[in-house]
Amino acid sequence: MTVPGRRSSTFSRLLRHGFTDPSGAERLLDLPELAALRGDPVLLDALGATADPDLALRGLVRLVEAQPDDERQTLTATLLAAKPFRDRLLGVLGTSEALGDHLARHPHDWQTLVTYEATDLHPGVAEFEQGLAEATDPVTLRVAYRRCLLAIAARDVCGTIDVAQTAAELADLATATLRAALAIARTAAPADAAQCRLAVIAMGKCGGHELNYVSDVDVIFVGEPVEGAEEGKAIQAATRLASHLMRICSETTVEGTIWPVDANLRPEGRNGPLVRTLSSHLAYYQRWAKTWEFQALLKARSVAGDPELGADYIDAVSPLVWQAAERENFVPDVQKMRRRVVDNIPAAQVERELKLGPGGLRDVEFAVQLLQLVHGRGDATLHSGTTLDALGALAAGGYVGRADAAQLDEAYRFLRALEHRIQLYRLRRTHLVPEDETDLRRLGRSLGLRTDPVAELNKEWRRHASVVRRLHEKIFYRPLLDAVAQLTPGETRLSPKAAGQRLEALGYADPVAALRHLEALASGVTRKAAIQRTLLPVLLGWFADSADPDAGLLGFRRVSDALGKTPWYLRLLRDEGAAAENLARVLSAGRLAPDLLLRAPEAVAILGDPEGLRPRGREHLEQEVLAAVGRADGAEQGVAAARGVRRRELFRTAAADLIASYGTEESARETDPGTLVDQVGQAVTDLNAAAIAGALRAAVRAEWGDTLPTRFAVIGMGRFGGHELGYGSDADVLFVHEPREGVDEQEAGRAANRIVTEMRRLLQLPTTDPPLLIDADLRPEGKSGPLVRTLKSYEAYYHRWALVWESQALLRADPLAGDMELGRRFIEMVDPLRYPAEGLGEDAVREIRRLKARMETERMPRGADPTLHAKLGRGGLSDVEWTVQLLQMRHGWVEPGLRTTRTREALAAAHAAGLIPTDEAQTLDEAWVLATRVRNAVMLVRGRPGDTFPSDGRELAAVGRYLGYGPGHVGEMVDDYRRITRRARAVMEELFYGAA
């Protein structure tokens, strides 16, 4: 007897055995129907081993209660005596409430689980057909189907078969069920059956021999008349039989339903006829079918009806399937279909969607199918409709890395097992991971996770989904596949003849030289040559998409010669599709980026890292540069390291700019050119500022150690101070110093001058890295004045002698290196000059206008077209900048937004303050951005700075591609430039010359 207030020993034992409702379980165990089982400890152990002991016990009670009196003892005795039976029965009851319901309705079906012969362990279609043989109508078919399903579930939950075998058995059971349903339909309509031949083609998971517990069974029906029958009437008869078959399986009866039979994968979908002749199918596929329909046919398998007709159908459509990858836009079509599937998932369900969500089953299946269709043209070993078999074949053939395939296989098996357990519970078609903790606990335990089932399940699920997501992005969206898919079958392996023909077709200017490069890259039996033979057909297409394919191919050979023996380089190009395409874009877009890359080819790794193209901030770069200088043995070595960082970052910036301007096959080109201009301007400014900071540190350390006798700051001017540097811009600067306390002013001055001289020397030393030219001509007195002044000297000069143009130049002043506190005080000192109180006087305005007009007539290079000169021409950089700077000097004292060194920011602030109408502000901004991009494009294409469009046709085309103009549209580009800058000039003349 249990003492009041204390738990019974049974209660405690139930808790230990995993019951969540031990009180309810205790009451059930006390029922008289379980008297024969109650005292046997074996029962509790067996219940505790199930996924849900409470559910298993409730199901057992219902089953025992449903037994006739004379059979109840047989059941309980068998349960206690036979461990295999006990494990199977309780395993099913603890996993599936729906199968527990079936056993309660059909209490004799438990005997299905008692004896297992050899054939019972791995039944095939014949065994399942035997199990369904007595079904004569939809109701008895459902009962027989559930009985067979009960045996599959028992083998599954007990681990007798793995997830792949379970899926195969479910597909075999579906095959047997379709045959039984067709037999019932034929029996019901013998006249129809006599007129036609009907074949049922399984598609989707059933066709792939990998069905779920509850899933639509996708089919296609093929019909033909029997000899002597009229085709039209025969197809009508076949349609009636097919419709009846679908109803037999799909309709809900007193025994529920089996599964929906879905024929929507047929030609024309639900709008097309349910049954077609074989010739009608072929006519459709050859003329009208879309890419997704061929992808679906990959899993087609004849399963029921006329076997000869079914075989004829498979033989006829198979060649079409393996030619699908040659269709135009094949890979983009498949990828778009995948994205549409994801987009159609309700937002609230995406994170719980096991099949269609990111990292879900569909990711694996689509990736495998895409690889099959692309590579299966020439490799029949890939012709499997079963995902895991196909994945194994892809790995064996080298189309997927073995490690990647193993991880995908493991993840797919886990996700399918989880999907099976979710569906098995209530035999409902769902792919959503439940949110209820009880459901999650049952799922976790069913998969062998017993310590903390909910936490372990979530962890494992997220881990496998993450693996799938990472590998899916790597494999499925790999642009290499797209390019391979667009090649003719003979070119998937590059031969010299095919290469020559292709080069001529792609418009290589020097096919002979290009063939030499190809022979050097692709010949031999090394791993390097093998990988390059795979890549070259792809790269040739990408190079041809540029303005200079020859340069791209030559650049690839040079990079490959430098890095080809390093394993990471070959792996990068083979496995990271983005890296290969990015490299192709960079190598064929002009001279600057390839020159920077070839000075240090290991920088190619930047192109394979999604984060690698993001510019590093000034603080990060300065830390790296100063650390490198600190480790160096001397000033020259230190600045060499700093310049190496600058070169690498210049390559990073140029590569990111080119890739964003061209776009890739994974991402569209950047549509806002202003964003690209701002990114380049800031990035080049940051890397130059870091290099100057490094040179300053190196020069100081070489002579003075850690502390210079004077505080020293570098003030950026011009585009440097405006954070608007281009690739070929000099760094305009002012040098300012202030003697430290107790240091003689002359000594401080000598130290500051030596520092400036040494910095300029170090930054211009002949090396493989591009020099950084420092221009201090904007200093007081210009080239005649001292290179460096004290802060007091600057203050005295500016307050006594400063001209209007010098105040205007100071609008761009911004401290960028050295002593930031000193730089800040310099800015405070010059603010009243650049933003004069009460604005500019009329004399100053007239002087600025006079200077601008003089510059337009005197500084334009002889022979230059003033309508196309990006800096000094009509509506170019100078026009926009002088207009904005005049507004800054006139209104900056009352409009804080105008107090910026950046042209576009100041223009936006002037518009916000009502100083420029919206249309005119947009016109000026568009012209300034375009002119800046033209200068950047010229430097990227020619490798040297320029302010006008190139005269060489190929270089001009490359500038056009950078600016977004396709082949043959350079004339349109030049016309657009003239139109945009003409409008900007009109706005400038009104605002600058016409202002009161």
Side-chain angles (χ1 to χ4, degrees), residues 239-541:
T239 300
R240 289 191 292 271
L241 289 174
S243 298
H244 192 188
L245 178 153
M246 294 174 69
R247 291 196 303 275
I248 290 169
C249 297
S250 306
E251 286 182 347
T252 302
T253 68
V254 291
E255 286 292 338
T257 184
I258 301 177
W259 19 247
V261 175
D262 188 341
N264 288 337
L265 293 178
R266 66 186 184 269
E268 300 180 75
R270 63 184 60 193
N271 297 319
L274 183 63
V275 181
R276 289 176 182 256
T277 62
L278 179 56
S279 60
S280 176
H281 276 282
L282 289 177
Y284 173 85
Y285 287 127
Q286 290 167 347
R287 186 172 184 184
W288 304 109
K290 296 181 174 59
T291 298
W292 69 263
E293 293 176 281
F294 292 108
Q295 185 184 6
L297 283 170
L298 190 150
K299 292 183 176 291
R301 181 169 65 95
S302 177
V303 293
D306 190 300
E308 184 179 344
L309 178 57
D312 290 344
Y313 175 89
I314 298 300
D315 291 344
V317 300
S318 288
L320 302 178
V321 172
W322 303 112
Q323 294 165 12
E326 297 167 24
R327 293 167 57 88
E328 187 177 1
N329 297 322
F330 163 72
V331 175
D333 281 351
V334 175
Q335 293 177 348
K336 286 176 187 174
M337 187 161 66
R338 159 77 191 130
R339 284 193 290 270
R340 279 199 300 272
V341 168
V342 175
D343 291 343
N344 289 335
I345 304 173
Q349 296 181 359
V350 169
E351 291 302 315
R352 297 191 295 122
E353 174 61 58
L354 195 63
K355 178 180 179 181
L356 304 178
L361 292 161
R362 186 59 61 87
D363 278 351
V364 181
E365 293 159 0
F366 265 52
V368 169
Q369 289 166 27
L370 181 60
L371 286 161
Q372 283 182 274
L373 292 173
V374 170
H375 297 297
R377 289 175 288 173
D379 190 343
T381 65
L382 304 182
H383 296 186
S384 172
T386 306
T387 301
L388 290 176
D389 290 348
L391 181 58
L394 287 165
Y399 304 105
V400 177
R402 290 187 183 275
D404 290 346
Q407 288 187 68
L408 275 180
D409 184 282
E410 181 188 6
Y412 188 75
R413 287 175 183 274
F414 176 86
L415 295 173
R416 284 300 305 271
L418 179 55
E419 179 186 44
H420 281 179
R421 296 295 193 271
I422 291 170
Q423 294 183 347
L424 189 55
Y425 177 50
R426 287 193 174 135
L427 289 181
R428 289 181 183 171
R429 183 174 177 269
T430 178
H431 310 285
L432 290 179
V433 177
E435 295 177 291
D436 181 75
E437 187 158 329
T438 301
D439 292 331
L440 292 172
R441 181 176 181 272
R442 182 185 61 257
L443 287 173
R445 285 173 59 92
S446 76
L447 295 172
L449 308 173
R450 297 300 174 98
T451 305
D452 186 352
V454 176
E456 291 179 70
L457 175 66
N458 281 316
K459 180 180 178 182
E460 285 295 292
W461 174 33
R462 300 303 176 191
R463 179 175 73 84
H464 286 296
S466 175
V467 166
V468 171
R469 191 158 52 243
R470 175 174 59 82
L471 293 178
H472 169 263
E473 289 166 357
K474 179 179 176 182
I475 295 172
F476 180 73
Y477 287 109
R478 189 168 52 181
L480 292 170
L481 296 179
D482 188 14
V484 174
Q486 291 169 0
L487 298 174
T488 61
E491 286 181 342
T492 52
R493 290 186 178 181
L494 201 64
S495 67
K497 181 180 179 181
Q501 293 171 341
R502 174 122 185 193
L503 288 168
E504 291 175 3
L506 293 173
Y508 278 74
D510 189 353
V512 176
L515 273 172
R516 281 201 308 272
H517 300 323
L518 289 176
E519 289 170 6
L521 288 162
S523 60
V525 294
T526 63
R527 182 170 178 268
K528 169 187 171 183
I531 291 176
Q532 288 176 165
R533 278 195 295 272
T534 302
L535 286 171
L536 278 168
V538 182
L539 291 168
L540 286 174

Side-chain angles (χ1 to χ4, degrees), residues 591-609:
R591 294 182 183 174
L592 178 64
D595 286 349
L596 292 169
L597 176 61
L598 290 166
R599 289 171 184 173
E602 64 275 5
V604 75
I606 289 171
L607 302 175
D609 180 0

Side-chain angles (χ1 to χ4, degrees), residues 73 131-132 181 281-282 284 369 422 445 455 530 555 571 574 582 594 608 760 784 786 789 837 877 912 935:
Q73 184 178 354
L132 303 177
H281 276 282
L282 289 177
Y284 173 85
Q369 289 166 27
I422 291 170
R445 285 173 59 92
R571 191 163 55 245
R574 184 192 66 190
N582 289 345
R760 299 179 79 180
S784 303
R789 291 174 181 258
L877 297 173
R935 295 181 89 205

